[in-house]
Amino acid sequence: MMSSFSSILAASLTIGSTTAAPWGPQWWGGPKPQWGGSNNNAGQSSGINVQLGPRPYYLVNNMDPGPLKDKLESCSEGPFKTSTFSISHRGAPLMFPEHSRQGYVAAARMGAGIIECDVSFTSDRELVCRHSNCDLQYTTNILAHPDLAAKCSKPFVPYNATTNTPASATCCTSDITLKEFKSLCAEMEATTFNALNVSTTTTPNFGRIGTTPDWRTNMYSYSCAEPMSLKDQITLVDSFGVNFTAEAKTPQIPMPFQGNYTQQDFAQQIVDTFNEMKIAANRVWLQSFLPDDIFYWLANDDSFGVQAIYLDERADLTADGYDVAVASLPGLAAKGVKIISPSIWQLVTADNATGKIVPSSYAIAAKKAGLEIITWSFDRSGPLEIQGGGYYYTGVNNLINNDGDEYTVIDVIAQQVGATRIFADWAATVTYYANCFGL
């Protein structure tokens, strides 16, 4: 008889449901699914039968004993619903190729109330969902298409074992047309660029220069995952009845593109696309690392600008970047910025006297300035038992001792920092917490 919390793992796919999930072709990328209404501004149920799978239960079971674990265990049976506290980062890239139809579908099923498209552009100036202008060589199979590989900004160079020089290529969305982009297969983001060739057809690494980290999976990469245009993504996400976040990617190619397509044109085209698709501005959170993009949206369409997210990576760029960022927060608020979004590590710090994770000076200053806080990205850096969670847990690594500490950090960010939304590579993790705490 299954009675312990850990035994719930085996049955977790049916939590909050009395009927089987529609796993047929319609759900996995066929005709537009019908999930009820299309306006989900407050995080209420979208009409999707939310299913969280085993990961949240694994994390809770892995936690150190204490009140937070008790609270999270008490929510094990749900019911669970969509929450806008939970933002899907690139779809569901812990297991599915990023920015693919299949990844977006998985994110919606896991209760993400907001789903992200990182926006780039093609040679014919169409908008597509891709994390970087120039990452096709390690996130798609473009190098398996000789005609398209020939268009890459820099051709494929194989790994050199003698000099330990990684394989390389630079293939940009702006190198190809929208039609050519949509002929590709999205693949899991690669990290170790050790390809000797791109013609091995027996593995999911076919047509890219790297391999998948061993803590992700290629399970869903053997079939061709579908890359998406922004318009396709809007249609799909709207069909789920959930909301949108679109990041204007910082260009890796010279701008203006083709001599006259400026960064402002790009930023405006994103807004125009949502308007063309008749998506209300209050359902859209635009994002950028470039402050000029934020100020452009504020100046030219405040209905979108008021929810624009300033992604703040300044602490990673220079030795004094963290202090500069903290000092700038009141000024940003005075200029009209409403939402600031640093990475996780910038919001928390270690109180070594008490052994607790607490809000950072950045978090305190942002709150004092009246800025809404959103952060990124949980479930991104692999097992927390390896180097205390890596980059995203910088500054608190010494207080991280198991995977369950992910929820310890989420709790500090939600309850003490006061973040209103959290990006995650596996939305179910944040959705579980959000439902348990009524967020």
Side-chain angles (χ1 to χ4, degrees):
M1 182 174 181
M2 296 181 6
S3 58
S4 69
F5 182 80
S6 59
S7 69
I8 295 168
L9 295 174
S12 61
L13 285 175
T14 58
I15 285 178
S17 169
T18 57
T19 59
W23 293 113
Q26 177 171 316
W27 176 245
W28 284 106
K32 174 180 175 179
Q34 302 299 316
W35 298 118
S38 62
N39 193 1
N40 183 34
N41 296 319
Q44 65 270 28
S45 175
S46 62
I48 295 173
N49 177 356
V50 172
Q51 299 184 8
L52 302 184
R55 181 162 177 77
Y57 301 92
Y58 163 78
L59 293 175
V60 173
N61 196 55
N62 195 241
M63 292 175 69
D64 297 329
L68 179 58
K69 182 174 183 176
D70 293 343
K71 170 64 175 176
L72 291 170
E73 285 182 337
S74 75
C75 303
S76 65
E77 301 307 306
F80 298 110
K81 64 181 181 180
T82 298
S83 170
T84 55
F85 185 79
S86 176
I87 304 180
S88 152
H89 181 242
R90 309 192 201 180
L94 185 64
M95 292 192 181
F96 291 86
E98 64 185 46
H99 293 307
S100 67
R101 176 182 291 271
Q102 289 78 1
Y104 292 137
V105 167
R109 174 60 75 198
M110 291 187 286
I114 303 172
I115 297 179
E116 180 186 48
C117 170
D118 289 322
V119 186
S120 185
F121 54 85
T122 60
S123 63
D124 48 354
R125 302 185 187 182
E126 296 290 341
L127 301 183
V128 296
C129 299
R130 189 65 14 207
H131 180 254
S132 167
N133 287 154
C134 299
D135 70 1
L136 299 182
Q137 66 274 12
Y138 61 88
T139 64
T140 75
N141 67 340
I142 189 170
L143 296 175
H145 296 262
D147 55 332
L148 300 183
K151 297 184 177 185
C152 290
S153 295
K154 294 182 180 178
F156 169 68
V157 176
Y159 168 69
N160 187 319
T162 302
T163 61
N164 197 29
T165 303
S168 64
T170 301
C171 302
C172 307
T173 59
S174 55
D175 291 336
I176 58 177
T177 66
L178 175 62
K179 182 178 180 180
E180 290 168 336
F181 174 82
K182 293 181 72 172
S183 74
L184 302 175
C185 297
E187 295 188 355
M188 293 296 290
E189 181 186 27
T191 55
T192 304
F193 301 134
N194 56 1
L196 297 175
N197 60 68
V198 290
S199 60
T200 303
T201 60
T202 57
T203 75
N205 299 326
F206 176 47
R208 62 174 181 158
I209 64 173
T211 56
T212 304
D214 63 6
W215 43 267
R216 291 180 180 156
T217 179
N218 286 319
M219 182 178 292
Y220 304 110
S221 296
Y222 284 88
S223 59
C224 183
E226 180 184 346
M228 303 287 280
S229 70
L230 177 59
K231 289 182 180 179
D232 289 341
Q233 198 258 7
I234 291 172
T235 298
L236 181 67
V237 172
D238 192 42
S239 75
F240 301 145
V242 299
N243 295 331
F244 310 84
T245 183
E247 180 185 338
K249 295 306 300 183
T250 301
Q252 293 184 301
I253 58 173
M255 297 291 278
F257 177 62
Q258 297 176 338
N260 61 357
Y261 183 69
T262 67
Q263 182 68 19
Q264 289 188 344
D265 292 333
F266 174 47
Q268 184 61 48
Q269 187 178 355
I270 297 172
V271 171
D272 292 343
T273 301
F274 281 100
N275 284 330
E276 178 186 342
M277 303 291 287
K278 302 187 184 306
I279 302 298
N282 65 354
R283 295 181 61 202
V284 181
W285 282 260
L286 301 179
Q287 319 167 44
S288 182
F289 283 100
L290 298 177
D292 285 350
D293 288 345
I294 306 299
F295 297 134
Y296 176 84
W297 290 320
L298 283 166
N300 290 277
D301 194 331
D302 190 57
S303 61
F304 283 91
V306 72
Q307 288 193 163
I309 303 171
Y310 180 179
L311 300 168
D312 191 358
E313 64 175 349
R314 291 173 294 171
D316 293 325
L317 300 180
T318 63
D320 63 348
Y322 179 90
D323 293 334
V324 169
V326 171
S328 75
L329 295 175
L332 289 173
K335 291 180 180 180
V337 174
K338 305 296 184 185
I339 306 173
I340 197 75
S341 184
S343 56
I344 295 162
W345 77 263
Q346 296 179 66
L347 294 175
V348 293
T349 191
D351 183 340
N352 291 318
T354 62
K356 301 291 186 181
I357 297 171
V358 297
S360 67
S361 58
Y362 186 112
I364 294 168
K367 191 171 184 178
K368 184 176 180 180
L371 291 165
E372 182 180 345
I373 300 170
I374 296 174
T375 194
W376 43 274
S377 299
F378 282 97
D379 283 322
R380 178 112 196 113
S381 55
L384 271 63
E385 295 183 14
I386 300 175
Q387 298 180 336
Y391 163 79
Y392 288 99
Y393 302 87
T394 302
V396 298
N397 302 120
N398 63 313
L399 300 180
I400 301 292
N401 58 47
N402 56 55
D403 284 345
D405 280 332
E406 183 168 340
Y407 274 128
T408 303
V409 179
I410 288 174
D411 187 63
V412 172
I413 286 177
Q415 305 300 330
Q416 298 183 49
V417 171
T420 60
R421 311 179 202 283
I422 291 176
F423 284 88
D425 280 29
W426 198 243
T429 299
V430 176
T431 301
Y432 185 100
Y433 181 92
N435 276 262
C436 194
F437 283 87
L439 301 174

